[in-house]
Amino acid sequence: MIRAVKGMRDILPPSSGVWNHVEAAAREVFHSYNYHEIRTPILEETALFARGVGEETDIVGKEMYTFLDRDGSSLTLRPEATASVMRSYIEHRLEQRPGLQKLYYTGAMFRRERPQKGRFRQFFQIGAEAIGSESPAVDAEVIEMAVEILARAGVENSQLLLNSVGCAECRGRFVADLRERLREAAPRLCADCQRRAETNPLRVLDCKIPADQPVIESLPSVLDHLCQECRTHFETVRGYLDDREIRYEVRPRLVRGLDYYMRTTFEIVHGALGAQNSLLGGGRYDGLAESLGSKVHSPGIGFSIGEDRLVMSIEERGGAAGTASLDILVAPIGEPAFRHASLLARQLRRAGASVEVAAEGKLKRSLELAGKLGARYALIVGENECAAGAYALKNLATGEQATLGRDQLMGKFQKAN
């Protein structure tokens, strides 16, 4: 038997209904904030992620799916989407369009990391990027939108974590201080953190190993190193969030895992997921365009939602919220009735109802099937019903049954949908 590749999986009904619910909720929110969809290739040149994400990150150093194409060029399955969106922004000169460029995406990403609860080698993200402004007001609106998507999807009791990692200048001073402190502290940390202490000290703060946390908590805080401009920017973002009554907790160790982040960084976590509790992460990346070769300064901020974890959190708190249910199972009795029922089902579908036509011609078995499929109604179509143009509609929750003409039937489900 051929099985799915390790770390990748099939998404089956009814879970796929929750996925559709989440994506529909996100699209509704994006539309209300005037964001527009962008679709980038799954494959990119490897250099895009090496330069954009950072060569010393775990993503580039250990997790990417990279291979040589037939012409010898190095290609990579995208491990994240922000670098791809910025590449597209630069390539198509979107900075020449009026106003802030507000873009969103959905799709599969790929990282070869150890599969565990809520983490897969092919995983899915829903994300947004606002490119063209350094304003803290944009930061606050992006965070507000992220919070709104989770609420609209049905997530309750999530927690917003907030930090600033400063600009290149003040972060440079912080990293120098951090590197100095790590010379003494690194031997007490995990092997990965000992390596990061030499190659990329900021990544040490992103470690999730429980035994390392007391040591990490003793390290310097980036907030103590912010320059006045970055400090003012962060205070202004916080003020805008306070105005919106969006609750948050400042976490000085929150740095995120990608090199392009600067100033505002944020994460939303949810307790239902255990150790892998992050639903969403994002931040500002004002220097990303220049690192990818652009001569135009294009500051931006964005976030990505881990759709796998978001769906899991919804399912674990009580089932498939928002999944589509079957409205009607049509139960034809006999071959002539089946042909009539098929045409009737077509009309009902056009009216907006979800309809299943039972292939079995026996009423008892059709009603049993309706119960198993979770149908709201059973529509009985026999020779007498066909001749009269009136059909028995049974409410499977209450057991009530009514006889409706074709127009009444269509009107009922058109109004319901």
Side-chain angles (χ1 to χ4, degrees), residues 143-144 147 157-162 238 240-250 266-268:
I143 294 171
E144 175 193 309
V147 170
N157 301 318
S158 60
Q159 183 181 16
L160 170 63
L161 310 179
L162 188 69
R238 293 179 63 183
Y240 285 137
L241 294 178
D242 292 339
D243 291 345
R244 292 162 164 82
E245 298 184 342
I246 295 175
R247 298 176 62 184
Y248 59 87
E249 179 182 335
V250 175
F266 60 95
E267 191 169 311
I268 298 180

mmCIF file with all atom_site columns, all heavy atoms in Angstrom, residues 143-144 147 157-162 238 240-250 266-268:
data_model
loop_
_atom_site.group_PDB
_atom_site.id
_atom_site.type_symbol
_atom_site.label_atom_id
_atom_site.label_alt_id
_atom_site.label_comp_id
_atom_site.label_asym_id
_atom_site.label_entity_id
_atom_site.label_seq_id
_atom_site.pdbx_PDB_ins_code
_atom_site.Cartn_x
_atom_site.Cartn_y
_atom_site.Cartn_z
_atom_site.occupancy
_atom_site.B_iso_or_equiv
_atom_site.pdbx_formal_charge
_atom_site.auth_seq_id
_atom_site.auth_comp_id
_atom_site.auth_asym_id
_atom_site.auth_atom_id
_atom_site.pdbx_PDB_model_num
ATOM 1   N N   . ILE A 1 143 ? -2.831  44.161 13.351 1.00 0.00 ? 143 ILE A N   1
ATOM 2   C CA  . ILE A 1 143 ? -3.055  43.317 14.529 1.00 0.00 ? 143 ILE A CA  1
ATOM 3   C C   . ILE A 1 143 ? -4.549  43.184 14.809 1.00 0.00 ? 143 ILE A C   1
ATOM 4   O O   . ILE A 1 143 ? -5.053  42.097 15.111 1.00 0.00 ? 143 ILE A O   1
ATOM 5   C CB  . ILE A 1 143 ? -2.304  43.885 15.746 1.00 0.00 ? 143 ILE A CB  1
ATOM 6   C CG1 . ILE A 1 143 ? -0.786  43.802 15.516 1.00 0.00 ? 143 ILE A CG1 1
ATOM 7   C CG2 . ILE A 1 143 ? -2.694  43.139 17.029 1.00 0.00 ? 143 ILE A CG2 1
ATOM 8   C CD1 . ILE A 1 143 ? 0.037   44.536 16.562 1.00 0.00 ? 143 ILE A CD1 1
ATOM 9   N N   . GLU A 1 144 ? -5.271  44.298 14.701 1.00 0.00 ? 144 GLU A N   1
ATOM 10  C CA  . GLU A 1 144 ? -6.725  44.260 14.885 1.00 0.00 ? 144 GLU A CA  1
ATOM 11  C C   . GLU A 1 144 ? -7.361  43.275 13.912 1.00 0.00 ? 144 GLU A C   1
ATOM 12  O O   . GLU A 1 144 ? -8.241  42.482 14.289 1.00 0.00 ? 144 GLU A O   1
ATOM 13  C CB  . GLU A 1 144 ? -7.295  45.655 14.658 1.00 0.00 ? 144 GLU A CB  1
ATOM 14  C CG  . GLU A 1 144 ? -8.814  45.737 14.698 1.00 0.00 ? 144 GLU A CG  1
ATOM 15  C CD  . GLU A 1 144 ? -9.321  47.059 14.155 1.00 0.00 ? 144 GLU A CD  1
ATOM 16  O OE1 . GLU A 1 144 ? -8.834  48.117 14.600 1.00 0.00 ? 144 GLU A OE1 1
ATOM 17  O OE2 . GLU A 1 144 ? -10.205 47.035 13.283 1.00 0.00 ? 144 GLU A OE2 1
ATOM 18  N N   . VAL A 1 147 ? -6.712  39.630 14.956 1.00 0.00 ? 147 VAL A N   1
ATOM 19  C CA  . VAL A 1 147 ? -7.582  39.273 16.078 1.00 0.00 ? 147 VAL A CA  1
ATOM 20  C C   . VAL A 1 147 ? -9.001  39.014 15.595 1.00 0.00 ? 147 VAL A C   1
ATOM 21  O O   . VAL A 1 147 ? -9.676  38.070 16.024 1.00 0.00 ? 147 VAL A O   1
ATOM 22  C CB  . VAL A 1 147 ? -7.556  40.385 17.147 1.00 0.00 ? 147 VAL A CB  1
ATOM 23  C CG1 . VAL A 1 147 ? -8.623  40.156 18.211 1.00 0.00 ? 147 VAL A CG1 1
ATOM 24  C CG2 . VAL A 1 147 ? -6.171  40.480 17.788 1.00 0.00 ? 147 VAL A CG2 1
ATOM 25  N N   . ASN A 1 157 ? -10.763 32.857 23.798 1.00 0.00 ? 157 ASN A N   1
ATOM 26  C CA  . ASN A 1 157 ? -9.735  32.847 24.846 1.00 0.00 ? 157 ASN A CA  1
ATOM 27  C C   . ASN A 1 157 ? -8.316  32.730 24.289 1.00 0.00 ? 157 ASN A C   1
ATOM 28  O O   . ASN A 1 157 ? -7.450  32.077 24.883 1.00 0.00 ? 157 ASN A O   1
ATOM 29  C CB  . ASN A 1 157 ? -10.002 31.699 25.838 1.00 0.00 ? 157 ASN A CB  1
ATOM 30  C CG  . ASN A 1 157 ? -11.361 31.821 26.484 1.00 0.00 ? 157 ASN A CG  1
ATOM 31  O OD1 . ASN A 1 157 ? -11.782 32.902 26.862 1.00 0.00 ? 157 ASN A OD1 1
ATOM 32  N ND2 . ASN A 1 157 ? -12.058 30.696 26.608 1.00 0.00 ? 157 ASN A ND2 1
ATOM 33  N N   . SER A 1 158 ? -8.065  33.351 23.151 1.00 0.00 ? 158 SER A N   1
ATOM 34  C CA  . SER A 1 158 ? -6.687  33.421 22.662 1.00 0.00 ? 158 SER A CA  1
ATOM 35  C C   . SER A 1 158 ? -5.985  34.586 23.348 1.00 0.00 ? 158 SER A C   1
ATOM 36  O O   . SER A 1 158 ? -6.625  35.458 23.952 1.00 0.00 ? 158 SER A O   1
ATOM 37  C CB  . SER A 1 158 ? -6.663  33.594 21.144 1.00 0.00 ? 158 SER A CB  1
ATOM 38  O OG  . SER A 1 158 ? -7.319  34.790 20.766 1.00 0.00 ? 158 SER A OG  1
ATOM 39  N N   . GLN A 1 159 ? -4.659  34.613 23.266 1.00 0.00 ? 159 GLN A N   1
ATOM 40  C CA  . GLN A 1 159 ? -3.866  35.628 23.948 1.00 0.00 ? 159 GLN A CA  1
ATOM 41  C C   . GLN A 1 159 ? -2.913  36.287 22.964 1.00 0.00 ? 159 GLN A C   1
ATOM 42  O O   . GLN A 1 159 ? -2.150  35.602 22.265 1.00 0.00 ? 159 GLN A O   1
ATOM 43  C CB  . GLN A 1 159 ? -3.072  35.001 25.100 1.00 0.00 ? 159 GLN A CB  1
ATOM 44  C CG  . GLN A 1 159 ? -2.269  36.009 25.916 1.00 0.00 ? 159 GLN A CG  1
ATOM 45  C CD  . GLN A 1 159 ? -1.473  35.341 27.027 1.00 0.00 ? 159 GLN A CD  1
ATOM 46  O OE1 . GLN A 1 159 ? -1.283  34.127 27.005 1.00 0.00 ? 159 GLN A OE1 1
ATOM 47  N NE2 . GLN A 1 159 ? -0.998  36.121 27.984 1.00 0.00 ? 159 GLN A NE2 1
ATOM 48  N N   . LEU A 1 160 ? -2.932  37.614 22.894 1.00 0.00 ? 160 LEU A N   1
ATOM 49  C CA  . LEU A 1 160 ? -2.041  38.380 22.029 1.00 0.00 ? 160 LEU A CA  1
ATOM 50  C C   . LEU A 1 160 ? -0.777  38.745 22.791 1.00 0.00 ? 160 LEU A C   1
ATOM 51  O O   . LEU A 1 160 ? -0.836  39.364 23.856 1.00 0.00 ? 160 LEU A O   1
ATOM 52  C CB  . LEU A 1 160 ? -2.758  39.644 21.539 1.00 0.00 ? 160 LEU A CB  1
ATOM 53  C CG  . LEU A 1 160 ? -1.908  40.685 20.802 1.00 0.00 ? 160 LEU A CG  1
ATOM 54  C CD1 . LEU A 1 160 ? -1.331  40.115 19.510 1.00 0.00 ? 160 LEU A CD1 1
ATOM 55  C CD2 . LEU A 1 160 ? -2.742  41.940 20.522 1.00 0.00 ? 160 LEU A CD2 1
ATOM 56  N N   . LEU A 1 161 ? 0.376   38.362 22.236 1.00 0.00 ? 161 LEU A N   1
ATOM 57  C CA  . LEU A 1 161 ? 1.679   38.691 22.802 1.00 0.00 ? 161 LEU A CA  1
ATOM 58  C C   . LEU A 1 161 ? 2.344   39.719 21.894 1.00 0.00 ? 161 LEU A C   1
ATOM 59  O O   . LEU A 1 161 ? 2.294   39.608 20.667 1.00 0.00 ? 161 LEU A O   1
ATOM 60  C CB  . LEU A 1 161 ? 2.553   37.441 22.907 1.00 0.00 ? 161 LEU A CB  1
ATOM 61  C CG  . LEU A 1 161 ? 1.916   36.219 23.576 1.00 0.00 ? 161 LEU A CG  1
ATOM 62  C CD1 . LEU A 1 161 ? 2.880   35.043 23.585 1.00 0.00 ? 161 LEU A CD1 1
ATOM 63  C CD2 . LEU A 1 161 ? 1.465   36.560 24.992 1.00 0.00 ? 161 LEU A CD2 1
ATOM 64  N N   . LEU A 1 162 ? 2.995   40.710 22.492 1.00 0.00 ? 162 LEU A N   1
ATOM 65  C CA  . LEU A 1 162 ? 3.494   41.857 21.727 1.00 0.00 ? 162 LEU A CA  1
ATOM 66  C C   . LEU A 1 162 ? 4.905   42.217 22.162 1.00 0.00 ? 162 LEU A C   1
ATOM 67  O O   . LEU A 1 162 ? 5.258   42.113 23.338 1.00 0.00 ? 162 LEU A O   1
ATOM 68  C CB  . LEU A 1 162 ? 2.554   43.046 21.957 1.00 0.00 ? 162 LEU A CB  1
ATOM 69  C CG  . LEU A 1 162 ? 2.745   44.306 21.130 1.00 0.00 ? 162 LEU A CG  1
ATOM 70  C CD1 . LEU A 1 162 ? 2.384   44.046 19.675 1.00 0.00 ? 162 LEU A CD1 1
ATOM 71  C CD2 . LEU A 1 162 ? 1.873   45.425 21.689 1.00 0.00 ? 162 LEU A CD2 1
ATOM 72  N N   . ARG A 1 238 ? 1.016   50.508 20.965 1.00 0.00 ? 238 ARG A N   1
ATOM 73  C CA  . ARG A 1 238 ? 0.298   50.073 22.159 1.00 0.00 ? 238 ARG A CA  1
ATOM 74  C C   . ARG A 1 238 ? -0.888  50.999 22.444 1.00 0.00 ? 238 ARG A C   1
ATOM 75  O O   . ARG A 1 238 ? -1.974  50.542 22.835 1.00 0.00 ? 238 ARG A O   1
ATOM 76  C CB  . ARG A 1 238 ? 1.246   50.028 23.357 1.00 0.00 ? 238 ARG A CB  1
ATOM 77  C CG  . ARG A 1 238 ? 2.322   48.959 23.253 1.00 0.00 ? 238 ARG A CG  1
ATOM 78  C CD  . ARG A 1 238 ? 3.240   48.964 24.456 1.00 0.00 ? 238 ARG A CD  1
ATOM 79  N NE  . ARG A 1 238 ? 2.513   48.657 25.682 1.00 0.00 ? 238 ARG A NE  1
ATOM 80  C CZ  . ARG A 1 238 ? 3.064   48.647 26.896 1.00 0.00 ? 238 ARG A CZ  1
ATOM 81  N NH1 . ARG A 1 238 ? 4.346   48.950 27.043 1.00 0.00 ? 238 ARG A NH1 1
ATOM 82  N NH2 . ARG A 1 238 ? 2.330   48.350 27.947 1.00 0.00 ? 238 ARG A NH2 1
ATOM 83  N N   . TYR A 1 240 ? -2.665  52.706 20.277 1.00 0.00 ? 240 TYR A N   1
ATOM 84  C CA  . TYR A 1 240 ? -3.735  52.413 19.318 1.00 0.00 ? 240 TYR A CA  1
ATOM 85  C C   . TYR A 1 240 ? -4.474  51.126 19.697 1.00 0.00 ? 240 TYR A C   1
ATOM 86  O O   . TYR A 1 240 ? -5.699  51.031 19.527 1.00 0.00 ? 240 TYR A O   1
ATOM 87  C CB  . TYR A 1 240 ? -3.168  52.288 17.910 1.00 0.00 ? 240 TYR A CB  1
ATOM 88  C CG  . TYR A 1 240 ? -2.794  53.602 17.255 1.00 0.00 ? 240 TYR A CG  1
ATOM 89  C CD1 . TYR A 1 240 ? -1.609  53.733 16.543 1.00 0.00 ? 240 TYR A CD1 1
ATOM 90  C CD2 . TYR A 1 240 ? -3.637  54.705 17.333 1.00 0.00 ? 240 TYR A CD2 1
ATOM 91  C CE1 . TYR A 1 240 ? -1.263  54.929 15.929 1.00 0.00 ? 240 TYR A CE1 1
ATOM 92  C CE2 . TYR A 1 240 ? -3.302  55.915 16.731 1.00 0.00 ? 240 TYR A CE2 1
ATOM 93  C CZ  . TYR A 1 240 ? -2.115  56.015 16.031 1.00 0.00 ? 240 TYR A CZ  1
ATOM 94  O OH  . TYR A 1 240 ? -1.777  57.201 15.434 1.00 0.00 ? 240 TYR A OH  1
ATOM 95  N N   . LEU A 1 241 ? -3.753  50.127 20.180 1.00 0.00 ? 241 LEU A N   1
ATOM 96  C CA  . LEU A 1 241 ? -4.404  48.886 20.615 1.00 0.00 ? 241 LEU A CA  1
ATOM 97  C C   . LEU A 1 241 ? -5.261  49.132 21.852 1.00 0.00 ? 241 LEU A C   1
ATOM 98  O O   . LEU A 1 241 ? -6.359  48.569 21.977 1.00 0.00 ? 241 LEU A O   1
ATOM 99  C CB  . LEU A 1 241 ? -3.355  47.804 20.895 1.00 0.00 ? 241 LEU A CB  1
ATOM 100 C CG  . LEU A 1 241 ? -2.560  47.306 19.686 1.00 0.00 ? 241 LEU A CG  1
ATOM 101 C CD1 . LEU A 1 241 ? -1.525  46.274 20.121 1.00 0.00 ? 241 LEU A CD1 1
ATOM 102 C CD2 . LEU A 1 241 ? -3.480  46.706 18.627 1.00 0.00 ? 241 LEU A CD2 1
ATOM 103 N N   . ASP A 1 242 ? -4.761  49.970 22.752 1.00 0.00 ? 242 ASP A N   1
ATOM 104 C CA  . ASP A 1 242 ? -5.550  50.326 23.936 1.00 0.00 ? 242 ASP A CA  1
ATOM 105 C C   . ASP A 1 242 ? -6.842  51.042 23.526 1.00 0.00 ? 242 ASP A C   1
ATOM 106 O O   . ASP A 1 242 ? -7.913  50.794 24.099 1.00 0.00 ? 242 ASP A O   1
ATOM 107 C CB  . ASP A 1 242 ? -4.733  51.227 24.868 1.00 0.00 ? 242 ASP A CB  1
ATOM 108 C CG  . ASP A 1 242 ? -3.563  50.497 25.514 1.00 0.00 ? 242 ASP A CG  1
ATOM 109 O OD1 . ASP A 1 242 ? -3.589  49.252 25.580 1.00 0.00 ? 242 ASP A OD1 1
ATOM 110 O OD2 . ASP A 1 242 ? -2.600  51.184 25.940 1.00 0.00 ? 242 ASP A OD2 1
ATOM 111 N N   . ASP A 1 243 ? -6.753  51.927 22.526 1.00 0.00 ? 243 ASP A N   1
ATOM 112 C CA  . ASP A 1 243 ? -7.942  52.625 22.039 1.00 0.00 ? 243 ASP A CA  1
ATOM 113 C C   . ASP A 1 243 ? -8.995  51.632 21.550 1.00 0.00 ? 243 ASP A C   1
ATOM 114 O O   . ASP A 1 243 ? -10.201 51.849 21.718 1.00 0.00 ? 243 ASP A O   1
ATOM 115 C CB  . ASP A 1 243 ? -7.578  53.560 20.875 1.00 0.00 ? 243 ASP A CB  1
ATOM 116 C CG  . ASP A 1 243 ? -6.745  54.749 21.310 1.00 0.00 ? 243 ASP A CG  1
ATOM 117 O OD1 . ASP A 1 243 ? -6.685  55.022 22.528 1.00 0.00 ? 243 ASP A OD1 1
ATOM 118 O OD2 . ASP A 1 243 ? -6.139  55.395 20.426 1.00 0.00 ? 243 ASP A OD2 1
ATOM 119 N N   . ARG A 1 244 ? -8.541  50.548 20.948 1.00 0.00 ? 244 ARG A N   1
ATOM 120 C CA  . ARG A 1 244 ? -9.444  49.541 20.398 1.00 0.00 ? 244 ARG A CA  1
ATOM 121 C C   . ARG A 1 244 ? -9.877  48.514 21.453 1.00 0.00 ? 244 ARG A C   1
ATOM 122 O O   . ARG A 1 244 ? -10.620 47.595 21.153 1.00 0.00 ? 244 ARG A O   1
ATOM 123 C CB  . ARG A 1 244 ? -8.755  48.801 19.248 1.00 0.00 ? 244 ARG A CB  1
ATOM 124 C CG  . ARG A 1 244 ? -8.511  49.649 17.998 1.00 0.00 ? 244 ARG A CG  1
ATOM 125 C CD  . ARG A 1 244 ? -7.460  48.980 17.111 1.00 0.00 ? 244 ARG A CD  1
ATOM 126 N NE  . ARG A 1 244 ? -7.416  49.498 15.749 1.00 0.00 ? 244 ARG A NE  1
ATOM 127 C CZ  . ARG A 1 244 ? -6.774  50.601 15.382 1.00 0.00 ? 244 ARG A CZ  1
ATOM 128 N NH1 . ARG A 1 244 ? -6.125  51.328 16.301 1.00 0.00 ? 244 ARG A NH1 1
ATOM 129 N NH2 . ARG A 1 244 ? -6.765  50.992 14.124 1.00 0.00 ? 244 ARG A NH2 1
ATOM 130 N N   . GLU A 1 245 ? -9.349  48.673 22.661 1.00 0.00 ? 245 GLU A N   1
ATOM 131 C CA  . GLU A 1 245 ? -9.611  47.737 23.761 1.00 0.00 ? 245 GLU A CA  1
ATOM 132 C C   . GLU A 1 245 ? -9.203  46.310 23.394 1.00 0.00 ? 245 GLU A C   1
ATOM 133 O O   . GLU A 1 245 ? -9.871  45.335 23.727 1.00 0.00 ? 245 GLU A O   1
ATOM 134 C CB  . GLU A 1 245 ? -11.091 47.786 24.189 1.00 0.00 ? 245 GLU A CB  1
ATOM 135 C CG  . GLU A 1 245 ? -11.495 49.161 24.721 1.00 0.00 ? 245 GLU A CG  1
ATOM 136 C CD  . GLU A 1 245 ? -12.917 49.189 25.224 1.00 0.00 ? 245 GLU A CD  1
ATOM 137 O OE1 . GLU A 1 245 ? -13.705 48.290 24.864 1.00 0.00 ? 245 GLU A OE1 1
ATOM 138 O OE2 . GLU A 1 245 ? -13.244 50.103 26.012 1.00 0.00 ? 245 GLU A OE2 1
ATOM 139 N N   . ILE A 1 246 ? -8.091  46.208 22.668 1.00 0.00 ? 246 ILE A N   1
ATOM 140 C CA  . ILE A 1 246 ? -7.508  44.907 22.335 1.00 0.00 ? 246 ILE A CA  1
ATOM 141 C C   . ILE A 1 246 ? -6.490  44.577 23.412 1.00 0.00 ? 246 ILE A C   1
ATOM 142 O O   . ILE A 1 246 ? -5.489  45.284 23.585 1.00 0.00 ? 246 ILE A O   1
ATOM 143 C CB  . ILE A 1 246 ? -6.845  44.929 20.947 1.00 0.00 ? 246 ILE A CB  1
ATOM 144 C CG1 . ILE A 1 246 ? -7.908  45.150 19.866 1.00 0.00 ? 246 ILE A CG1 1
ATOM 145 C CG2 . ILE A 1 246 ? -6.081  43.627 20.683 1.00 0.00 ? 246 ILE A CG2 1
ATOM 146 C CD1 . ILE A 1 246 ? -7.351  45.314 18.466 1.00 0.00 ? 246 ILE A CD1 1
ATOM 147 N N   . ARG A 1 247 ? -6.725  43.517 24.150 1.00 0.00 ? 247 ARG A N   1
ATOM 148 C CA  . ARG A 1 247 ? -5.850  43.145 25.256 1.00 0.00 ? 247 ARG A CA  1
ATOM 149 C C   . ARG A 1 247 ? -4.607  42.448 24.734 1.00 0.00 ? 247 ARG A C   1
ATOM 150 O O   . ARG A 1 247 ? -4.665  41.670 23.779 1.00 0.00 ? 247 ARG A O   1
ATOM 151 C CB  . ARG A 1 247 ? -6.602  42.241 26.229 1.00 0.00 ? 247 ARG A CB  1
ATOM 152 C CG  . ARG A 1 247 ? -7.819  42.915 26.860 1.00 0.00 ? 247 ARG A CG  1
ATOM 153 C CD  . ARG A 1 247 ? -8.595  41.954 27.734 1.00 0.00 ? 247 ARG A CD  1
ATOM 154 N NE  . ARG A 1 247 ? -7.785  41.473 28.844 1.00 0.00 ? 247 ARG A NE  1
ATOM 155 C CZ  . ARG A 1 247 ? -8.183  40.572 29.729 1.00 0.00 ? 247 ARG A CZ  1
ATOM 156 N NH1 . ARG A 1 247 ? -9.384  40.027 29.604 1.00 0.00 ? 247 ARG A NH1 1
ATOM 157 N NH2 . ARG A 1 247 ? -7.401  40.200 30.716 1.00 0.00 ? 247 ARG A NH2 1
ATOM 158 N N   . TYR A 1 248 ? -3.483  42.722 25.361 1.00 0.00 ? 248 TYR A N   1
ATOM 159 C CA  . TYR A 1 248 ? -2.212  42.125 24.951 1.00 0.00 ? 248 TYR A CA  1
ATOM 160 C C   . TYR A 1 248 ? -1.277  42.040 26.156 1.00 0.00 ? 248 TYR A C   1
ATOM 161 O O   . TYR A 1 248 ? -1.499  42.680 27.189 1.00 0.00 ? 248 TYR A O   1
ATOM 162 C CB  . TYR A 1 248 ? -1.552  42.967 23.849 1.00 0.00 ? 248 TYR A CB  1
ATOM 163 C CG  . TYR A 1 248 ? -1.266  44.398 24.259 1.00 0.00 ? 248 TYR A CG  1
ATOM 164 C CD1 . TYR A 1 248 ? -0.081  44.741 24.910 1.00 0.00 ? 248 TYR A CD1 1
ATOM 165 C CD2 . TYR A 1 248 ? -2.213  45.409 24.024 1.00 0.00 ? 248 TYR A CD2 1
ATOM 166 C CE1 . TYR A 1 248 ? 0.160   46.047 25.312 1.00 0.00 ? 248 TYR A CE1 1
ATOM 167 C CE2 . TYR A 1 248 ? -1.981  46.713 24.422 1.00 0.00 ? 248 TYR A CE2 1
ATOM 168 C CZ  . TYR A 1 248 ? -0.788  47.028 25.057 1.00 0.00 ? 248 TYR A CZ  1
ATOM 169 O OH  . TYR A 1 248 ? -0.553  48.320 25.466 1.00 0.00 ? 248 TYR A OH  1
ATOM 170 N N   . GLU A 1 249 ? -0.248  41.247 25.995 1.00 0.00 ? 249 GLU A N   1
ATOM 171 C CA  . GLU A 1 249 ? 0.788   41.134 27.011 1.00 0.00 ? 249 GLU A CA  1
ATOM 172 C C   . GLU A 1 249 ? 2.132   41.394 26.347 1.00 0.00 ? 249 GLU A C   1
ATOM 173 O O   . GLU A 1 249 ? 2.452   40.788 25.316 1.00 0.00 ? 249 GLU A O   1
ATOM 174 C CB  . GLU A 1 249 ? 0.787   39.741 27.630 1.00 0.00 ? 249 GLU A CB  1
ATOM 175 C CG  . GLU A 1 249 ? 1.860   39.537 28.692 1.00 0.00 ? 249 GLU A CG  1
ATOM 176 C CD  . GLU A 1 249 ? 1.874   38.129 29.246 1.00 0.00 ? 249 GLU A CD  1
ATOM 177 O OE1 . GLU A 1 249 ? 0.817   37.459 29.191 1.00 0.00 ? 249 GLU A OE1 1
ATOM 178 O OE2 . GLU A 1 249 ? 2.947   37.691 29.731 1.00 0.00 ? 249 GLU A OE2 1
ATOM 179 N N   . VAL A 1 250 ? 2.910   42.300 26.883 1.00 0.00 ? 250 VAL A N   1
ATOM 180 C CA  . VAL A 1 250 ? 4.244   42.583 26.339 1.00 0.00 ? 250 VAL A CA  1
ATOM 181 C C   . VAL A 1 250 ? 5.192   41.460 26.762 1.00 0.00 ? 250 VAL A C   1
ATOM 182 O O   . VAL A 1 250 ? 5.316   41.154 27.947 1.00 0.00 ? 250 VAL A O   1
ATOM 183 C CB  . VAL A 1 250 ? 4.774   43.948 26.821 1.00 0.00 ? 250 VAL A CB  1
ATOM 184 C CG1 . VAL A 1 250 ? 6.206   44.168 26.339 1.00 0.00 ? 250 VAL A CG1 1
ATOM 185 C CG2 . VAL A 1 250 ? 3.864   45.072 26.328 1.00 0.00 ? 250 VAL A CG2 1
ATOM 186 N N   . PHE A 1 266 ? 4.577   40.250 16.921 1.00 0.00 ? 266 PHE A N   1
ATOM 187 C CA  . PHE A 1 266 ? 3.435   39.797 17.723 1.00 0.00 ? 266 PHE A CA  1
ATOM 188 C C   . PHE A 1 266 ? 3.129   38.340 17.435 1.00 0.00 ? 266 PHE A C   1
ATOM 189 O O   . PHE A 1 266 ? 3.543   37.776 16.416 1.00 0.00 ? 266 PHE A O   1
ATOM 190 C CB  . PHE A 1 266 ? 2.201   40.680 17.477 1.00 0.00 ? 266 PHE A CB  1
ATOM 191 C CG  . PHE A 1 266 ? 1.722   40.709 16.055 1.00 0.00 ? 266 PHE A CG  1
ATOM 192 C CD1 . PHE A 1 266 ? 0.715   39.862 15.610 1.00 0.00 ? 266 PHE A CD1 1
ATOM 193 C CD2 . PHE A 1 266 ? 2.266   41.614 15.146 1.00 0.00 ? 266 PHE A CD2 1
ATOM 194 C CE1 . PHE A 1 266 ? 0.262   39.899 14.300 1.00 0.00 ? 266 PHE A CE1 1
ATOM 195 C CE2 . PHE A 1 266 ? 1.817   41.658 13.828 1.00 0.00 ? 266 PHE A CE2 1
ATOM 196 C CZ  . PHE A 1 266 ? 0.820   40.803 13.407 1.00 0.00 ? 266 PHE A CZ  1
ATOM 197 N N   . GLU A 1 267 ? 2.409   37.752 18.360 1.00 0.00 ? 267 GLU A N   1
ATOM 198 C CA  . GLU A 1 267 ? 2.026   36.348 18.258 1.00 0.00 ? 267 GLU A CA  1
ATOM 199 C C   . GLU A 1 267 ? 0.695   36.184 18.981 1.00 0.00 ? 267 GLU A C   1
ATOM 200 O O   . GLU A 1 267 ? 0.427   36.878 19.964 1.00 0.00 ? 267 GLU A O   1
ATOM 201 C CB  . GLU A 1 267 ? 3.111   35.482 18.902 1.00 0.00 ? 267 GLU A CB  1
ATOM 202 C CG  . GLU A 1 267 ? 2.997   33.999 18.651 1.00 0.00 ? 267 GLU A CG  1
ATOM 203 C CD  . GLU A 1 267 ? 4.254   33.259 19.104 1.00 0.00 ? 267 GLU A CD  1
ATOM 204 O OE1 . GLU A 1 267 ? 5.371   33.681 18.742 1.00 0.00 ? 267 GLU A OE1 1
ATOM 205 O OE2 . GLU A 1 267 ? 4.099   32.263 19.842 1.00 0.00 ? 267 GLU A OE2 1
ATOM 206 N N   . ILE A 1 268 ? -0.138  35.276 18.488 1.00 0.00 ? 268 ILE A N   1
ATOM 207 C CA  . ILE A 1 268 ? -1.377  34.945 19.190 1.00 0.00 ? 268 ILE A CA  1
ATOM 208 C C   . ILE A 1 268 ? -1.343  33.459 19.505 1.00 0.00 ? 268 ILE A C   1
ATOM 209 O O   . ILE A 1 268 ? -1.120  32.635 18.617 1.00 0.00 ? 268 ILE A O   1
ATOM 210 C CB  . ILE A 1 268 ? -2.618  35.306 18.364 1.00 0.00 ? 268 ILE A CB  1
ATOM 211 C CG1 . ILE A 1 268 ? -2.660  36.820 18.113 1.00 0.00 ? 268 ILE A CG1 1
ATOM 212 C CG2 . ILE A 1 268 ? -3.888  34.863 19.083 1.00 0.00 ? 268 ILE A CG2 1
ATOM 213 C CD1 . ILE A 1 268 ? -3.853  37.290 17.303 1.00 0.00 ? 268 ILE A CD1 1
#
